[in-house]
Structures are given as C-alpha cells and as structure tokens.
Amino acid sequence: LPPEVDWCCRTLRQSGHQANPVGGCVRDLLLGRPPQDWDVATSALPRQVEALFPRTLPTGVRHGTVSVLAGSLRIEVTTFRREG
C-alpha cells in the first residue's frame, strides 16, 4: 500500500474505527497492476472522518463518502452500509 493509504487506515483504526482498503484497488494489487484509485471502507461516519483528517472533500456525504486528500492521493473513504 502507498504510505498515504496506510496512514489513512491507521488514523481511522487508532481512533477506534475499522478501516480496510476495498474495491478495485485490492483487485488491481492482487493482479499485480498499479491501482488507478484508492477506496477505504470504515465504521466511521462521514463527520468523524472529516474531523480526523486535515484535508477532506465532501464527495458524497449523503452516501457516506468523504475524500481524504493525502499527499498526491485522493482516498475515497466510505462508511460501511447495507444494500437493500
């Protein structure tokens, strides 16, 4: 994982939340391809994510997604949810 993604997940975990990379970035890593984007699923709510990181964008707060800006990366952090 890039250091920025590791930092994002560690920050969330150290604050008592679950956090793991998910989606296409995991698939690409397993296939040996460089990921085009980074997604993290977490138990933290969007406002909690915004409070933990100095640079965020409210990408899709209505759907539980906040973008964390870390270095040159934009990490999409989404709260766990159930479909249905």
Side-chain angles (χ1 to χ4, degrees):
L1 291 179
E4 297 90 345
V5 177
D6 182 55
W7 168 74
C8 180
C9 289
R10 272 189 296 106
T11 300
L12 288 160
R13 289 178 190 139
Q14 288 171 350
S15 296
H17 304 288
Q18 297 175 39
N20 293 297
V22 295
C25 62
V26 175
R27 176 203 60 225
D28 290 344
L29 288 172
L30 291 172
L31 293 174
R33 301 188 305 217
Q36 299 301 308
D37 58 10
W38 295 94
D39 300 299
V40 169
T42 183
S43 58
L45 298 173
R47 296 292 174 223
Q48 294 170 313
V49 174
E50 290 173 331
L52 286 172
F53 298 97
R55 296 176 54 221
T56 63
L57 294 173
T59 309
V61 173
R62 183 174 175 190
H63 303 287
T65 303
V66 173
S67 292
V68 172
L69 306 176
S72 63
L73 293 183
R74 178 176 169 158
I75 305 162
E76 302 290 322
V77 179
T78 303
T79 303
F80 298 147
R81 63 179 184 245
R82 285 187 284 180
E83 299 297 328

